[in-house]
Structure formats: structure tokens, C-alpha cells
Amino acid sequence: MHREPVLLVIAHGSRDPRHAATVHALVRRVRSLRPGLRVETGFLDFNIPSVQGVLESLAARGVRDVVALPLLLTRAFHAKADIPAVLRDAPPRLRIRQAEVLGPSPLLLSALERRLYEAGLTPADKSSTGVVLASAGSTDPEAIAVIADIAREWRHIGWCAVRPAFASAALPRTEDAVRALRKLGCARVAVAPYVLAPGRLPDRIARGAADADVLADVLGPAPEVARLLLERYDGARVPALAAVGA
């Protein structure tokens, strides 16, 4: 019987210590959901251990199979370029499969709603509440289009209105989307950060939410996010195990 591949969670990294703390909290929740699974964390920048360091350590310990999971919500530059480049430089004894990024997923919509309810909304508020879906932003048109699609999908499950917003690289900004929802006549406006961990851009989202009625927390270690990591892992793991048994 072949051992399950190691799950390597690849996070962006940040100078903000809250970022790494949140990533580690999420990984702890993933481990608690699947106690037998070996889960490691590596960072692309700013934090240690680095992705390369973790890969070298795994190879030195005799690991053969790894599922590398980008801790990203959209398929932007990091998923398309940075991470594949780092994985290409991994020790040759490792067999690595890159899992899909986390978004889009119904589990993320559930996590967003969880955070809004934790911030004070109730399901009864949905029809009278406009929501700003506030993401970090990207120069990648595909990533921007995905955020707009998620906003449209979310609108169909009962909110007064949902507008996308971006902290960088694209428009509108959070504060502009808040104003637009006020003009639409929504009784209250809530901002839902579509980001995984605190940092500079989430702080910018929070500042842009100053005139909103409700500001939800980042997704962080929400149970739905932890389940989604395992869902993405399983999607990459099965082909990896088939290849091992071939």
C-alpha cells in the first residue's frame, strides 16, 4: 500500500506577522480534519520556511510524492508563473503535482457568509443588505473576471445586491462600491473581504469599508476553507497515486 502524498500548502508570505499566523491556524485546522495526513507549509516570500527549503527537507527524509497546493483564491500570476517555477527547481527525486487554486468554490461563498454572520448580520438581513465582495486585486484579466462572476453568482442567493471591488490593480475600490450600493437603496451595506489572511491589502479594504455598516473578517481558518484545501488535495492526490501504482 502506497503512502499518501504529503500536502504542501504554499502561501504567499508577508512582512505582516498576522499573515503567517493565520496561515498556520488554517493548516492546523486542516490537520485536525485529517489527522493521518502530513501537511507542511512553505512561503514564497518574506517568511520561513521557504517552499524550496521544505521540498529539500522532504526529499532528504525520503518523501517521494507531494501535492503542492497554492493558497490562492484565483489563478493569477503566482499560480501561473511563480509557483511552477519554484516547483521546477525541486529535488528531482520528488514527484510533485500542483493542485488547483482554491477559488471559485461554493465552500468559499459559505465561508464569506459565515464571516458576515459572525460580524452581526443574520439570514433575515440578506434581502435588504448590499455586499461588497472585496478582493486584493490583480492585473490578470482572468482573475478579475472570476471575481465578477462570483459576485453575480452570490447575488442570486438572496442579497439585495453584490458588487466586486479591488484593493489594487483594478477598479472599483471598496469605498466606491460601498457608495454605489448606497445609491441603489440597500438598507445596509456590508463588506466581505475575499482574502485569506491579514496584510497590507486587506487593511486597505478595511479602510475603504469605513462608511459600510458591517465589515466581515478575512476568510482565514474558516472550517469551509480547511475543507476546501482537502478537496483540492484529493483532486490532485488521486492521479498522483494512480501514477505511483502504474
Side-chain angles (χ1 to χ4, degrees), residues 59-241:
R61 295 176 193 171
V63 170
R64 291 296 304 278
D65 293 288
V66 176
V67 170
L69 196 162
L71 200 60
L72 300 169
L73 295 174
T74 58
R75 270 185 50 78
F77 180 78
H78 294 300
K80 294 177 179 178
D82 282 1
I83 291 175
V86 171
L87 297 180
R88 280 195 296 270
D89 290 336
R93 67 165 287 123
L94 292 176
R95 290 179 292 210
I96 303 174
R97 294 186 67 88
Q98 182 176 327
E100 291 295 325
V101 297
L102 299 180
S105 167
L107 285 169
L108 290 174
L109 288 181
S110 296
L112 286 165
E113 295 207 352
R114 170 189 292 275
R115 293 300 190 226
L116 285 169
Y117 296 150
E118 289 171 351
L121 292 179
T122 70
D125 296 324
K126 287 179 81 167
S127 63
S128 57
T129 301
V131 179
V132 178
L133 180 69
S135 78
S138 174
T139 56
D140 188 308
E142 179 187 348
I144 296 301
V146 166
I147 300 300
D149 287 344
I150 293 169
R152 280 193 291 272
E153 179 183 348
W154 208 15
R155 164 67 184 85
H156 293 319
I157 56 176
W159 297 99
C160 171
V162 181
R163 293 289 174 90
F166 307 93
S168 69
L171 295 173
R173 296 285 180 258
T174 302
E175 52 269 35
D176 299 326
V178 169
R179 282 194 290 270
L181 289 169
R182 292 270 186 230
K183 287 181 180 177
L184 274 179
C186 298
R188 70 185 62 77
V189 175
V191 174
Y194 190 63
V195 292
L196 286 165
R200 179 176 56 88
L201 293 178
D203 284 349
R204 188 179 294 173
I205 290 171
R207 289 193 296 272
D211 291 333
D213 301 295
V214 173
L215 171 62
D217 199 0
V218 299
L219 295 170
E224 296 84 358
V225 179
R227 284 168 49 207
L228 180 55
L229 263 68
L230 290 172
E231 189 175 285
R232 293 292 185 254
Y233 168 79
D234 288 335
R237 174 183 66 96
V238 174
L241 290 178

